[in-house]
Amino acid sequence: MIGSVNGLMGLCKADQTFPEFWNFHCIIHREQLVSKSLNLDNVMKPVMEIVNYIRTHALNHRQFRNLIAELDQGLPGDLPLHCTVRWLSKGKVLSRFFELLDAVKLFMEEKDKDYPELSDLEWIMDLAFLVDMLCHLDRLNLTLQGLES
């Protein structure tokens, strides 16, 4: 759409009768571009591996939901599945993962899966920072779209 030659912007700039204008990405797309350049792999990679391990195996998913129900601490009922195409879902996945961190630790111990990050205080602080940052960006995006006041 924004292509410099055949996109809308390129065609409008090439048309001599079209008034001069500035073109730029909207703030939501700018955030997406910045999120690609941030190095979040140290947090995102283990989280996505764990979420995929829990969500992509039906038995694991069912056992995890049962564990949450047994703990009965007012926890959310499930982990959402992250989709890389819908990059805004990162914030929701990380937020829910952070809320369920103790349940995730317990579940992974029961399954004999070793993720040292789950016990690393520095990694947990990075996760908390990322959750906070992405929650603010999600709220900003919803406000800009007129979906939240």
Side-chain angles (χ1 to χ4, degrees):
M1 242 179 113
I2 295 188
S4 62
V5 177
N6 291 328
L8 176 66
M9 296 298 143
L11 295 173
C12 290
K13 283 188 173 191
D15 186 356
Q16 299 299 324
T17 61
F18 202 85
E20 270 203 42
F21 62 94
W22 290 349
N23 64 315
F24 53 89
H25 288 285
C26 72
I27 191 168
I28 295 173
H29 292 108
R30 286 181 184 188
E31 289 173 12
Q32 197 271 339
L33 293 170
V34 167
S35 74
K36 282 184 176 181
S37 65
L38 290 175
N39 187 6
L40 310 174
D41 288 344
N42 67 324
V43 175
M44 288 303 295
K45 188 176 179 185
V47 169
M48 292 304 117
E49 286 176 6
I50 293 169
V51 168
N52 288 338
Y53 176 76
I54 292 172
R55 288 297 306 249
T56 57
H57 299 77
L59 177 62
N60 289 344
H61 189 208
R62 209 169 28 253
Q63 289 172 339
F64 184 71
R65 286 188 309 197
N66 290 340
L67 175 66
I68 293 171
E70 287 173 14
L71 293 175
D72 193 35
Q73 298 173 349
L75 296 171
D78 204 0
L79 279 172
L81 192 59
H82 171 62
C83 174
T84 44
V85 173
R86 297 187 63 196
W87 64 274
L88 287 172
S89 69
K90 268 185 196 173
K92 291 179 179 149
V93 172
L94 286 172
S95 177
R96 187 67 58 85
F97 184 88
F98 190 71
E99 290 177 51
L100 295 170
L101 189 58
D102 292 331
V104 168
K105 283 181 192 177
L106 184 60
F107 183 75
M108 297 310 277
E109 286 171 6
E110 287 177 4
K111 292 290 185 177
D112 292 326
K113 294 287 184 181
D114 184 35
Y115 282 94
E117 295 90 354
L118 295 175
S119 301
D120 181 12
L121 185 59
E122 188 173 323
W123 185 84
I124 292 172
M125 289 188 322
D126 287 346
L127 174 65
F129 171 76
L130 194 56
V131 166
D132 191 42
M133 183 181 71
L134 289 174
C135 284
H136 286 296
L137 289 176
D138 286 349
R139 248 182 272 123
L140 173 65
N141 291 335
L142 290 174
T143 304
L144 290 172
Q145 294 173 39
L147 301 174
E148 185 179 279
S149 56

